[in-house]
Amino acid sequence: MTTHKRRLRLSTVVDHAILIAGSLLMIVPVLMLVQMTSMPDLINMKTGPSLSIGDQWVPNFEKAMFQADGFSGINTGTRMLMNSFILGIGFAFGKIFVGMLAAYAIVYFRMRYASLAFWIIFTTLLLPLEVRILPSYEVVQRLGMLNTYQGLIIPLIASATATFFFRQYFRSIPEELVEAARIDGAGPVRFFFDILIPLSRTMIAAMFIIMFVYGWNQYLWPTMVTTEEGMFTLVRGIKQITQMLEGNQIPEYGRANMLALIAILPPVMIVIFFQSWFVKGLTESDK
Amino acid sequence: MKRAGFTSAWLPAMLLLPQLAVIAIFFYWPAAHALRSSFYLQDPFGFGETFVGLSNFTSLLTSAAYSRAAWFTVFFTLIVTFGSLSIALLLAVKADKVIRGAKTYRTLLMWVYAVAPPVAGVIGLIMFNQSWGPLKEFFALFGWDFKLGVNYFDTAFAMIAVSIWKQVPVNFIFFLSGLQSIPKSVREAALIDNRSATGRFWDITFPLLAPTGFFLLITNITYAMFDTFGVIDTVLKGQPGNNPMTLVYKVYVDGFRGNDLGGSSAQSVVLMVLVLALTVFQFRMIERRIHYT
C-alpha cells in the first residue's frame, strides 16, 4: 500500500512538472520582452534580455505612445492604439450584427429559396480571406475604400463564421418558445428583441470577445489596405517596429518592445478576464 | 428539422440583406475575379490584358521556386500541426488530471491565444537574435551556430518554433474541454478495468477525443497554411531572399510586390482548390463520426 501511495505522489509531481514547464514556455519569452522595455537601448543592444530590471519604463512608454516616425509624424502609439480599437470593436460589432440577423432569418422564418440562401452564405466558410487577398484588394481599391475604416473592416466581415455560430445556437433553443410567443401575440420583431436577444446574451458576449481578438490581431489585410500612416493599427505597425531595429545605429529596443507589449495587452487581458465566456464560445462553435 | 417559423415575405429578406450584400461584394466578386484573372496575363503597367488559357497554371507547375515553396508548405504544415497538437494534448491531459492549481494552469497555458502572430514573430526575433538571443546562445552550447535569416534550415526552424508556440494554446483549450466532457462514469469504469494510466489513456481517452482531434487537425492545417503569414513576415523581416516561404506568402510576394497578377491569381486558385478539398474531406469525416459518438 505504501509503495502504491508513493508512486501516486511521484506521478503527481511529474504532472505538475510538465504543467509548470509548459506554463514557463508560454510566459518566459513574453517576460523577456517586458524586461527589455525597462532597460536603456544601449544595454539592450549589447546584452539583450537579462535578469535585471531597469528604470526606463516611463521614458520608453512615453516614446512608444507619443513619438512618431515615418514622414507624416502622426502614427504615434496612441494613434495606432485607437485604430486597433476601432478595428477590433468595429469588426466584432459588424460581424455579430450581420450574423445574428441572417441566422435569425434562416432559423425562424419559412421562406422560399431558404436553402439557396443557406448555401450562398455558408460557402463563404470554405475560403479564408488570405486566398483571395489580391482580388479583394482590387475590389476595395475600385470602390475607393483604401485607407478608410470601412475598407479595413467590411471585407473582413465577408464570411459566415458568426452566422454559422448563431444558427447553431438558435437551433438549440427549444421550439416551444416561439410557439408560446406566438400564442401570446408576439410578432417576429418583438420575439427577437424581447426573447431571443436576452436569451443569447452570454453567446453574444462570447462571440464579441472572440471576434474582437480576431479583428485586433489582423495583419495581412491591414498591411495591404492601409498605406497611410495615420491608419495603421498596432499589429499592422509591427513591421515598422522591426524596421526600427534594423535602421538605427542604436536600435530602439525599448520603444519597439513597448509597442509590441501594448499591442498584446488589451486582447490578452480580455481573454484572461472573460475566460469562461471565451472558452465556451470557442468550443461551442466546434459543434 | 421542423421549426414553427414566422411567415413574412419581406422581413427575412431584409434580415438577410446585410449578409448577402457583404459577401456578394467582398467574397463572390473577388473570388470570381481571381478565377478570371488566373486565365489572363496582365500588363504590368495596367494597359489591358490577354487571355492566355492555362498558361499561368502550367508555368506554376514548372516553376522551381513554386515547387520549392509548395514542398516547404507541406513540411511546415505537418511539423507545426503535429508539434502543436501533441504538446497541447500532453498539457491538456495533465491539466485535466491535477487537482491543485488546475485553474491557474489553464489560464497560464491559454492566454497566448490572444497574442497576434506578428508579435509572436517579434518575440521570436528576440529569442533567436544573432548577438544575444537566449535560444541562439542555448543552441551554441551544443555547437549549433544558429543564423536566423541567413541559413535556410535555421530560419525554417525559427518559423516553425514560433508558429507552434502560438498555436499550442488554442489546441490546449479544445483538448481540455474535450477531456472534461468525457462522462465521469466512463472514467470510473476505466479506472476499475485498467490500472495503468498510460493504458487507460490509449484505450479510453484517446479514442473518445478523436472527434476533437480531427476537428483540430483540420483547423491546424488551415492555421499553418494561412494564419502564419504574420509570423513568417516578421521572422523574414519582409525580405524573403533565399529563405523558406509558404504558398500564401508567395501569393503576396508575387502579386503585391512583384505585380504578377495573373500568376498570383493562379496561385490563389490553386490554394482555393486545396482548401475546398480539405473542407469536403472534413465534412465527409464528420458525417462518419456520428456513428461512433
Side-chain angles (χ1 to χ4, degrees), chain A residues 108 120 134 163 175 182 219, chain B residues 2 5-6 19 28 233 264:
Chain A
Y108 286 99
I120 289 177
L134 277 162
T163 317
E175 267 181 69
R182 276 172 53 165
Y219 178 67
Chain B
K2 204 173 148 278
F6 297 106
Q19 172 87 72
Y28 284 103
D233 196 36
S264 162

Side-chain angles (χ1 to χ4, degrees), chain B residues 275-286:
Chain B
V275 181
L276 281 178
L278 201 64
T279 319
V280 169
F281 173 68
Q282 180 184 18
F283 280 139
R284 295 192 65 163
M285 289 298 280
I286 284 176

Side-chain angles (χ1 to χ4, degrees), chain B residues 74-239:
Chain B
V74 171
F75 171 77
F76 176 82
T77 305
L78 282 177
I79 300 198
V80 169
T81 301
F82 285 103
S84 62
L85 279 177
S86 42
I87 295 172
L89 181 58
L90 173 70
L91 291 171
V93 168
K94 297 304 177 195
D96 182 48
K97 214 170 127 203
V98 296
I99 298 150
R100 267 161 178 269
K103 273 201 163 158
T104 317
Y105 286 129
R106 192 180 82 159
T107 310
L108 291 178
L109 289 167
M110 64 171 265
W111 64 276
V112 167
Y113 171 88
V115 174
V119 182
V122 168
I123 293 169
L125 287 178
I126 294 176
M127 302 303 288
F128 294 106
N129 183 288
Q130 200 49 65
S131 19
W132 39 252
L135 280 179
K136 188 239 157 206
E137 307 254 277
F138 177 72
F139 292 142
L141 296 179
F142 304 94
W144 179 3
D145 185 17
F146 198 95
K147 283 199 167 70
L148 181 67
V150 179
N151 182 301
Y152 183 90
F153 178 82
D154 292 352
T155 313
F157 183 91
M159 283 175 183
I160 290 169
V162 175
S163 303
I164 291 179
W165 181 75
K166 169 77 192 92
Q167 188 63 3
V168 164
V170 74
N171 292 337
F172 170 79
I173 294 168
F174 276 98
F175 274 135
L176 187 61
S177 114
L179 284 166
Q180 284 169 347
S181 69
I182 295 176
K184 222 180 162 194
S185 54
V186 174
R187 291 172 186 235
E188 278 163 3
L191 203 60
I192 297 166
D193 275 357
N194 197 339
R195 297 226 101 185
S196 125
T198 355
R200 275 202 308 274
F201 174 77
W202 290 113
D203 293 344
I204 311 293
T205 319
F206 194 73
L208 282 173
L209 272 182
T212 311
F214 180 72
F215 165 80
L216 285 178
L217 186 67
I218 302 284
T219 322
N220 278 268
I221 293 175
T222 336
Y223 161 79
M225 282 174 67
F226 302 112
D227 298 337
T228 50
F229 180 90
V231 173
I232 292 170
D233 196 36
T234 27
V235 168
L236 293 180
K237 297 175 186 161
Q239 284 152 350

Side-chain angles (χ1 to χ4, degrees), chain A residues 208-240:
Chain A
F208 195 89
I209 293 164
I210 294 169
M211 292 302 167
F212 174 80
V213 173
Y214 184 87
W216 180 285
N217 286 346
Q218 282 305 304
Y219 178 67
L220 176 55
W221 183 246
T223 301
M224 294 184 66
V225 283
T226 59
T227 45
E228 268 168 30
E229 285 167 343
M231 290 295 296
F232 284 9
T233 63
L234 282 165
V235 175
R236 158 73 173 91
I238 291 289
K239 202 157 201 168
Q240 279 200 329

